[in-house]
Amino acid sequence: MLTIVSVAGLALGPAGSAEAQRWVSPDPAGDVTGAIYSLDPAPCGTITPVDASAVTDVDLTGLSVRHHRRDVTVELGVSDLPETGTELMTVHLRTAKGAWAVDLDRTGRTGFGAFFYEEPDWDALIEQADPDGDGCAIVSVVIVETPCAGLGHRGDPDLDVVRLTVPRSCLGRPRWVRAAASADAWRETDEAWFSDRWAPEGVEPTSFIGPFGPRVKVGPVAGTQTTAAPGAGRTAGAPSVVRHLVLTVTPDRVTAVPDPLPAR
């Protein structure tokens, strides 16, 4: 078992296409998975599935992308988004110019914090950490937040929606964008990690992240484009924010946990 530390790099997803500036896709409700992980026995440890049928705050029900001239808006539908909670929602974005992600997290609070960064090639890091190919590894990744002035986000419990707006300038003003999404929550009372990720009915993920939706091309300027509260992103020149992410890899599952979840 090998532990590695890496600074975020780039990862590319497979290609797709769509001619519209807006794309919407549902996700099956009630498909959250839960697990308890133990380090024993070495080298892989033990993963014990737990009942997740009552977990609704990280149960994704849909994903949508709107690609405007000024920004990209991503919405995550959730079965039941509470006023306050402890969740981690991650939006992954792919363009012809690179790979990006935004972590939206909160710990017992009403509002979410946002962490925008260039995304590493997770599959390559996992492969490096598991040279024997036994499917067991611990990957430790240090990620530095990328400045993105105008990044906006908002959780809406009335609509059960988490909304993210990313200025196109932060993505290199791409011609198209693809998105993937996941939702996670640690429940101390259960000592378990609960997870869901967007995937169309019948599609099984084949990578640590994804699947990704189709390419959504940039559209004409809309009258109202920013649908989330602006000003959440770190601007150039501000002190760097660093996040430590630990991936526990077993033959059946990869669990990624911020260590610790940052307080905002």
Side-chain angles (χ1 to χ4, degrees), residues 74-125:
V74 181
E75 290 188 352
L76 307 180
V78 184
S79 284
D80 185 11
L81 185 67
E83 289 284 347
T84 61
T86 300
E87 301 93 13
L88 170 64
M89 312 280 183
T90 302
V91 174
H92 308 273
L93 298 172
R94 296 292 182 268
T95 75
K97 300 184 177 183
W100 312 87
V102 184
D103 289 342
L104 302 171
D105 61 82
R106 62 180 182 174
T107 306
R109 297 179 293 109
T110 301
F112 286 85
F115 187 89
F116 176 75
Y117 56 98
E118 291 186 73
E119 192 156 31
D121 186 337
W122 299 112
D123 292 336
L125 292 178

Side-chain angles (χ1 to χ4, degrees), residues 141-164:
V141 184
V142 176
I143 299 175
V144 179
E145 187 174 25
T146 301
C148 181
L151 186 74
H153 60 281
R154 175 182 293 133
D156 191 333
D158 293 331
L159 297 178
D160 293 321
V161 167
V162 176
R163 186 175 297 112
L164 168 70

Side-chain angles (χ1 to χ4, degrees), residues 12-252:
L12 297 178
S17 64
E19 296 300 325
Q21 69 172 20
R22 184 171 186 264
W23 167 80
V24 181
S25 178
D27 179 80
D31 59 344
V32 176
T33 61
I36 297 174
Y37 177 73
S38 170
L39 290 173
D40 298 320
C44 285
T46 304
I47 289 181
T48 305
V50 297
D51 179 27
S53 59
V55 178
T56 56
D57 60 337
V58 292
D59 184 16
L60 297 178
T61 59
L63 175 65
S64 72
V65 177
R66 285 185 241 176
H67 193 173
H68 299 301
R69 291 288 177 182
R70 296 177 185 170
D71 52 47
V72 175
T73 298
V74 181
E75 290 188 352
L76 307 180
V78 184
S79 284
D80 185 11
L81 185 67
E83 289 284 347
T84 61
T86 300
E87 301 93 13
L88 170 64
M89 312 280 183
T90 302
V91 174
H92 308 273
L93 298 172
R94 296 292 182 268
T95 75
K97 300 184 177 183
W100 312 87
V102 184
D103 289 342
L104 302 171
D105 61 82
R106 62 180 182 174
T107 306
R109 297 179 293 109
T110 301
F112 286 85
F115 187 89
F116 176 75
Y117 56 98
E118 291 186 73
E119 192 156 31
D121 186 337
W122 299 112
D123 292 336
L125 292 178
I126 291 171
E127 185 176 349
Q128 292 175 36
D130 183 26
D132 298 331
D134 60 4
C136 303
I138 294 178
V139 183
S140 179
V141 184
V142 176
I143 299 175
V144 179
E145 187 174 25
T146 301
C148 181
L151 186 74
H153 60 281
R154 175 182 293 133
D156 191 333
D158 293 331
L159 297 178
D160 293 321
V161 167
V162 176
R163 186 175 297 112
L164 168 70
T165 299
V166 182
R168 290 184 68 241
S169 57
C170 297
L171 304 172
R173 303 189 183 279
R175 294 183 296 107
W176 53 264
V177 64
R178 305 177 68 203
S182 61
D184 302 274
W186 166 257
R187 295 289 184 264
E188 190 169 355
T189 54
D190 300 308
E191 295 186 341
W193 190 258
F194 296 94
S195 304
D196 189 18
R197 66 166 104 178
W198 170 83
E201 188 79 45
V203 174
E204 291 294 331
T206 59
S207 178
F208 169 59
I209 57 174
F212 282 84
R215 295 179 181 181
V216 182
K217 296 182 178 180
V218 63
V221 176
T224 301
Q225 296 190 48
T226 301
T227 55
R234 186 173 70 90
T235 57
S240 296
V241 179
V242 175
R243 169 164 288 185
H244 180 211
L245 194 67
V246 178
L247 278 64
T248 302
V249 183
T250 64
D252 299 323

